Amino acid sequence: MNMARYKTDTRLLVVAGVFCVLFGAVGVKLSIATIIMPLAPQQHQIAPQVPPIPKSDPKGMVANDIVLPQVHRASIVDRNGQALAISLPVAQVYANPQEMIDPQDATRKLKQVLPHIDAAETLRRLSSARQFVYLARDISPAEELAINNLGIPGIYFEPGERRRYPMGRVAAQIMGGVDIDDHGVAGVERFFDKRLDSNRAPLTLSLDVRVQNVVHDELQSAMDTFQAIGACAIVMDVRNGEIIAMVSLPDYDANDFGHAPADARFNRAVTGMYEPGSTFKLQTTAMALQDGVAHIWDRFSSVPIKVGRFTISDMKNDHFDPWLSLPEVMAHSSNPAAAHIALDAGAARQQDWLRNMGFFARVPIELPEAGHPIIPSTRNWGVSTVMTVAFGHGVAEPPLAIVRGTAATANGGFLLKPTLLLHDQDRTPGGTPVPDTDMAAQTPDAQRLISAENSSILRKILRLDVTKGTGDRAESAGYYVGGKTGTAEKIGAHGGYLKHVNVSAFTGIFPMNAPRYAVYVMLDSPKPTAQTHGWTTAGWNAAPTASHIITRIAPMMGLFPDTAHQEAIENSLFIPMRPPVPHGYRALGPGNDPGTMHLHESEGSRHGSHHGTGEMTSEAGHLARMHAARDEREGAMPLKKRQERG
């Protein structure tokens, strides 16, 4: 009996010992797994409505690869990887009131996490007889986790995302915006809507936010100084068409797109239509040289031209020779002389040139807002139209079109397609300039419209306009700026011309000895100051603004002032105001001006048919009405045939 009991106790002790060892092993294993070395939960173990928490990146190591969980719309970055637009994970909180145990307690707890919600309204919704009610929208992941930890039955989450623009006002009109469903409605957000939704890799733009900020600061300063009602500025790489900066003022915070006023959303650089004024004389000169109509030693009359009751003349304080060489026409910005150059070319050549240079069509840029220019009917393109278009009146173009045309005259003669996308080649700012002969190969969209020889001449003429002409205040020491000023009067809402209310602009290139960047500055309705001695023309406001911009942005892009070789560089860019006539040539000038004959023939034709000045007045009146209507609708600045000097 005792032996049997002893055996039984021994077996029980053995079994108990085994269980102790097993439970001890399990306890040790649990301690290691939960306390000492806990394992991260598997993805399938986490509730689907609770998103993963993004990893911290304090050093910005993933700036060029911004991809957040539960976000499908790709980010947008500048050429250096700075985020311009990014979608953040958010959630919508909803409930099934039928599953609520204590709506009042649930409301109290939700109010602690979401203090902005209306407690009374939330309680009413949670107490309703419905099965689905929204409680809050676009809450952060942290708020979502906090609500989830409350453990309230009947509370659910719906994942979503919210578009944010970390740089605020920087490139706001370029960014555009998205609607409540995250679909692009303006700017690159709309243009690349499908791409941003289908490919999560960041979209890299050609913009440089550093340059964009500098241009914005300088343009805002000029706008404030001259009390302008609007302004825009553009910086473009003349080798590949990349837009480095594009600023339109006034602007707005891109995060508040839906509440921004129309005038702030209006992108003056691509949507605004403005008379180019004397900046268009560059195209007239380029046309004459390239088509063999004129040479640099030819001379053209600066005497006022009377057409019916209209007179084309220069400003009353302009005192220069009645016959000007081609470089002098540009440097002095003479309207009658430019008109004579265009008369020598004729209407057909002028139309073909402007059409080939893209001035008859919408500028090809990745912005849906890019507008179509306003131009006269080609059927009514008479002598008066030829003359006024020659010095930038009678047409209205977006500023980007002027920049594109200016770049073509200086980059070896290539018309480029402007782009907001970063090219695969030449990703390094400050790299070696692309030779003229290689540009077409490296930029497939480039079209050569001007010979290398004529482009070299035009560079010298543009440099002359800054060293000795109307654009002298655009100079920036060591950067050898070249460019052209332009000023045009505005038309009011009722079609009348507004005296002393101008749109002033400067279009230029730097450095002229090795062209890299085009710079354009426009001020809408600037006021005179003591420093401008009462003037509101571009040489007094737009030109110095361009100088300030160039001086500040050039080092950012790897360009530094070269003063050590100044004499050699200036000699390479030198062109005399009055080039000598080569042996064996008969220069255009007094007694040899086919344009004057064309003008006299036109006058005789009009008088014979009793049309008087109807051609000029009807065309000008038609365009004026078009401009006035567009001005009232969009803020575009229309044309004016006026006495003007750059």
Side-chain angles (χ1 to χ4, degrees):
M1 184 69 179
N2 290 336
M3 181 59 68
R5 184 174 182 180
Y6 174 76
K7 290 181 178 180
T8 301
D9 291 343
T10 301
R11 289 171 183 163
L12 290 174
L13 288 173
V14 171
V15 172
V18 171
F19 274 103
C20 286
V21 171
L22 290 175
F23 279 113
V26 172
V28 171
K29 184 66 175 177
L30 288 174
S31 298
I32 294 174
T34 60
I35 300 176
I36 301 174
M37 297 176 62
L39 298 176
Q42 299 298 312
Q43 183 65 35
H44 68 274
Q45 297 173 318
I46 304 175
Q49 68 266 32
V50 181
I53 300 176
K55 294 182 179 180
S56 174
D57 182 32
K59 295 184 179 179
M61 299 300 291
V62 296
N64 287 312
D65 190 23
I66 301 174
V67 179
L68 296 178
Q70 289 196 349
V71 169
H72 73 275
R73 191 172 182 85
S75 58
I76 302 174
V77 299
D78 85 333
R79 65 191 303 117
N80 299 311
Q82 173 65 54
L84 294 170
I86 185 171
S87 290
L88 300 176
V90 295
Q92 328 302 335
V93 186
Y94 68 93
N96 181 352
Q98 299 299 312
E99 299 178 5
M100 282 287 114
I101 297 175
D102 187 346
Q104 190 166 3
D105 181 63
T107 301
R108 179 182 58 80
K109 291 179 178 179
L110 288 171
K111 183 69 174 178
Q112 292 175 353
V113 178
L114 304 174
H116 61 277
I117 65 172
D118 186 322
E121 177 62 18
T122 301
L123 179 59
R124 185 190 68 78
R125 293 186 180 186
L126 292 178
S127 302
S128 68
R130 301 173 63 184
Q131 293 185 340
F132 180 93
V133 291
Y134 271 116
L135 302 179
R137 294 179 179 271
D138 294 343
I139 66 171
S140 68
E143 291 171 328
E144 181 180 359
L145 289 172
I147 294 173
N148 191 65
N149 289 336
L150 294 175
I152 305 174
I155 298 292
Y156 300 96
F157 304 96
E158 183 180 88
E161 59 188 72
R162 179 173 55 191
R163 201 66 165 169
R164 299 297 296 173
Y165 303 91
M167 304 300 290
R169 292 179 176 272
V170 175
Q173 293 100 340
I174 296 175
M175 291 297 102
V178 297
D179 59 18
I180 192 171
D181 296 318
D182 252 14
H183 295 305
V185 295
V188 295
E189 292 276 23
R190 178 180 173 187
F191 190 91
F192 293 106
D193 188 48
K194 291 183 179 179
R195 176 344 192 151
L196 292 167
D197 277 342
S198 61
N199 184 348
R200 294 186 66 195
L203 177 68
T204 304
L205 301 186
S206 59
L207 297 178
D208 187 325
V209 296
R210 304 169 304 166
V211 178
Q212 183 84 9
N213 273 313
V214 169
V215 174
H216 183 282
D217 289 347
E218 291 295 341
L219 192 64
Q220 185 68 64
S221 176
M223 186 173 165
D224 294 341
T225 299
F226 301 108
Q227 302 177 53
I229 65 173
C232 80
I234 302 169
V235 178
M236 187 182 86
D237 191 323
V238 302
R239 304 164 303 162
N240 53 28
E242 288 181 355
I243 303 299
I244 310 300
M246 179 186 288
V247 178
S248 177
L249 298 177
D251 59 1
Y252 61 98
D253 188 331
N255 295 296
D256 197 30
F257 174 81
H259 299 94
D263 187 49
R265 293 199 307 268
F266 185 76
N267 190 342
R268 287 162 170 77
V270 296
T271 310
M273 297 296 147
Y274 306 90
E275 276 201 328
S278 289
T279 61
F280 230 43
K281 289 171 185 170
L282 174 59
Q283 296 302 322
T284 300
T285 302
M287 171 188 65
L289 285 173
Q290 185 62 26
D291 288 352
V293 172
H295 302 88
I296 58 174
W297 53 78
D298 290 328
R299 292 191 292 163
F300 305 90
S301 174
S302 65
V303 175
I305 302 173
K306 186 76 172 178
V307 183
R309 61 187 181 90
F310 291 90
T311 300
I312 298 174
S313 64
D314 293 311
M315 298 183 71
K316 295 179 180 179
N317 65 323
D318 283 331
H319 302 289
F320 35 72
D321 196 281
W323 290 88
L324 302 176
S325 68
L326 202 60
E328 287 178 312
V329 173
M330 287 286 286
H332 297 318
S333 200
S334 173
N335 292 339
H340 277 284
I341 295 173
L343 285 172
D344 289 348
R349 271 201 185 99
Q350 187 182 54
Q351 290 177 34
D352 288 343
W353 180 265
L354 297 179
R355 185 180 294 107
N356 292 337
M357 290 293 287
F359 289 110
F360 279 17
R362 173 186 176 276
V363 178
I365 187 71
E366 299 92 349
L367 290 173
E369 297 80 15
H372 290 267
I374 301 176
I375 57 176
S377 168
T378 54
R379 292 175 299 178
N380 298 324
W381 200 290
V383 170
S384 62
T385 301
V386 169
M387 291 189 293
T388 53
V389 168
F391 53 89
H393 296 271
V395 293
E397 298 282 344
L400 185 56
I402 305 301
V403 175
R404 185 190 190 199
T406 302
T409 63
N411 66 5
F414 292 92
L415 183 69
L416 304 174
K417 180 181 178 180
T419 180
L420 285 165
L421 290 180
L422 183 67
H423 283 267
D424 290 335
Q425 71 276 5
D426 188 32
R427 286 178 175 268
T428 305
T432 304
V434 178
D436 290 345
T437 54
D438 296 338
M439 188 174 298
Q442 296 198 32
T443 309
D445 294 323
Q447 304 175 56
R448 185 158 217 162
L449 300 180
I450 303 172
S451 68
E453 180 183 2
N454 285 331
S455 178
S456 177
I457 293 173
L458 290 168
R459 285 200 292 266
K460 295 175 181 179
I461 291 177
L462 287 171
R463 177 61 182 159
L464 184 68
D465 191 58
V466 171
T467 56
K468 296 182 180 180
T470 59
D472 57 342
R473 292 174 182 82
E475 179 66 304
S476 178
Y479 290 114
Y480 309 100
V481 181
K484 187 71 191 76
T485 55
T487 308
E489 286 182 354
K490 291 175 57 177
I491 289 180
H494 303 293
Y497 298 111
L498 305 176
K499 287 293 181 181
H500 311 299
V501 181
N502 300 330
V503 173
S504 61
F506 175 84
T507 182
I509 305 285
F510 77 97
M512 264 305 173
N513 57 311
R516 287 293 304 277
Y517 298 102
V519 175
Y520 177 92
V521 173
M522 184 275 291
L523 295 172
D524 182 356
S525 308
K527 304 292 190 300
T529 66
Q531 287 72 28
T532 66
H533 308 287
W535 293 100
T536 59
T537 49
W540 289 97
N541 44 51
T545 303
S547 173
H548 298 158
I549 289 174
I550 292 170
T551 302
R552 291 186 61 186
I553 69 173
M556 293 179 178
M557 299 185 290
L559 295 177
F560 299 95
D562 185 353
T563 55
H565 307 92
Q566 181 173 352
E567 184 176 356
I569 292 174
E570 292 289 13
N571 287 337
S572 70
L573 294 172
F574 174 75
I575 188 172
M577 274 285 199
R578 288 212 161 186
V581 181
H583 180 70
Y585 281 85
R586 183 189 178 190
L588 298 180
N592 183 31
D593 184 2
T596 301
M597 291 185 289
H598 295 159
L599 179 61
H600 291 161
E601 290 171 1
S602 173
E603 288 177 343
S605 173
R606 284 201 307 272
H607 289 314
S609 60
H610 302 287
H611 282 197
T613 59
E615 174 199 26
M616 179 174 244
T617 56
S618 63
E619 186 68 23
H622 173 64
L623 285 173
R625 286 190 295 273
M626 290 174 62
H627 272 279
R630 185 166 189 158
D631 182 37
E632 184 175 356
R633 194 168 60 247
E634 299 174 336
M637 299 304 128
L639 62 98
K640 170 73 172 70
K641 297 180 174 73
R642 64 174 291 268
Q643 301 176 11
E644 182 264 4
R645 178 191 179 210

